[in-house]
Amino acid sequence: MTNATPTGTNRDLIERAYRAFHDRDVAALLDTLDPQVEWVHPDGMAEYGLGGTKHGHAGVRQFLATVPTVLGGMRLQPQEFVVAGDRVVVFGVRQVTSVRGTTETLPFIHSWTLRDGRAVRMEDIFDTVMFRRVIES
């Protein structure tokens, strides 16, 4: 069955990834990701070290270490999961807080591609203009 992982469904796996992110549990997050994962964010965030494609667990760790250097905080709230085979698309909002304390709620779409019970690609799709405004506020 292509939409099942060793520990449940593809949706279960992605929900585990969000719980790990929420708990700041990097090891648990990496456990949901293939060692060669592609972690993709809009190129428009490159100026802050958050854009482009990061590769593998080391790339994800680097990305996660960079986030607190440009943001005061971020909380993801997945709202809808659409599962189609080995693809899970998540629609949600995130509360983004600047280092100066300004918080905004911004929508996101995450497109996850899974293979053999792990995410091999995660693409974060969002309005970079709005995100940059929060960072600069």
Side-chain angles (χ1 to χ4, degrees):
M1 184 173 185
T2 61
N3 64 349
T5 70
T7 57
T9 68
N10 284 343
R11 178 178 171 154
D12 293 336
L13 177 78
I14 299 310
E15 287 178 346
R16 281 193 305 133
Y18 285 108
R19 276 193 306 278
F21 187 84
H22 177 268
D23 294 342
R24 310 257 191 279
D25 187 342
V26 175
L29 174 62
L30 294 178
D31 190 49
T32 67
L33 307 176
D34 184 85
Q36 302 304 315
V37 67
E38 293 180 322
W39 191 258
V40 184
H41 290 82
D43 289 335
M45 299 304 292
E47 175 183 347
Y48 305 102
L50 302 177
T53 301
K54 309 300 187 233
H55 297 277
H57 287 182
V60 173
R61 279 192 197 94
Q62 174 197 21
F63 175 85
L64 295 174
T66 302
V67 171
T69 70
V70 296
L71 291 175
M74 182 168 52
R75 291 188 57 118
L76 300 175
Q77 295 177 332
Q79 297 176 322
E80 180 181 355
F81 293 79
V82 179
V83 180
D86 286 337
R87 174 71 56 96
V88 179
V89 178
V90 181
F91 296 86
V93 295
R94 67 177 119 216
Q95 282 73 45
V96 181
T97 303
S98 73
V99 293
R100 292 172 203 77
T102 301
T103 300
E104 295 287 338
T105 300
L106 306 174
F108 70 80
I109 300 168
H110 288 163
S111 175
W112 296 84
T113 305
L114 297 96
R115 187 175 310 118
D116 299 326
R118 291 206 174 166
V120 295
R121 181 179 173 88
M122 190 289 298
E123 184 172 0
D124 191 358
I125 302 160
F126 59 89
D127 183 337
T128 58
V129 172
M130 294 301 297
F131 204 104
R132 291 169 65 94
R133 284 183 187 157
V134 174
I135 290 173
E136 298 298 327
S137 63

